[in-house]
Amino acid sequence: MKMSMKKKAQAGFTLIELMIVVAIIGILAAIALPAYQDYTVRAKVSEGAVAASGLKVGVSETFADKGVAGISSFATEIQTTRQNSLLTPDKISAVSIGDTATDMGRISITLGGIAQLPATGNVLAFTPLIEGNNISNINSSGTIQWDCKPSGGTTIDAKYLPATCRP
C-alpha cells in the first residue's frame, strides 16, 4: 500500500507582497494629501463667499432704491459695522465696498488666518456688472451679475477659489 503525502498549502502573504501593498498605499497617500489640503483651503475661502452673499443683497437693494448715492451710504455703514467686528469672523480680516466710479459696489473680502494664502494677495472681490459694464446711474437697468474672477479684482490663487470664481 502506497502512502501518499499531501503537502499543506502555505497560508499568508510573502514579504514582497506586503512591501508592494505598502508602496501602493504610500503612492496613493502622496497623491491624496495635497488634493485634500487644497480642498480645505477652498472651504476656508468659501467662508468669504458666504459672507459676501448678504452684502450682495445690500448693494443690489440700495442701488435699486437710491442709485450710486445709496451704495456710498451703504459702504459707509458697512465700514462702521466692520470696525465693531460684527462682519469679521476669524477667517475674514477686512470687508469693504467700493464707492468710486471704477469700483462702484465692488465687495472686497480680505481673508486672513489661512496659512496657505500669502499675507498679500488674499482678496476675494465681487464686482457688480450690468451687461458686462460697471454699475452706475447711467448703467442701471438690467440684472446685476457678480464677477469674482481674478480679472474682477480677486487676488487669490485660482486653485483655491470657489468654482464660480475660477477663470
Side-chain angles (χ1 to χ4, degrees), residues 79-99:
Q79 193 63 23
T80 303
T81 305
R82 188 194 66 75
Q83 289 171 352
N84 295 332
S85 300
L86 297 174
L87 285 175
T88 52
D90 63 339
K91 300 295 180 221
I92 298 174
S93 58
V95 174
S96 66
I97 297 177
D99 60 354

Side-chain angles (χ1 to χ4, degrees), residues 89-111:
D90 63 339
K91 300 295 180 221
I92 298 174
S93 58
V95 174
S96 66
I97 297 177
D99 60 354
T100 65
T102 57
D103 70 345
M104 184 59 65
R106 178 181 295 153
I107 300 166
S108 297
I109 308 286
T110 304
L111 300 171

Side-chain angles (χ1 to χ4, degrees), residues 54-89:
L55 297 172
K56 289 179 192 178
V57 172
V59 168
S60 299
E61 287 182 1
T62 56
F63 182 65
D65 291 344
K66 300 176 184 172
V68 170
I71 291 177
S72 295
S73 64
F74 184 65
T76 303
E77 181 182 334
I78 291 301
Q79 193 63 23
T80 303
T81 305
R82 188 194 66 75
Q83 289 171 352
N84 295 332
S85 300
L86 297 174
L87 285 175
T88 52

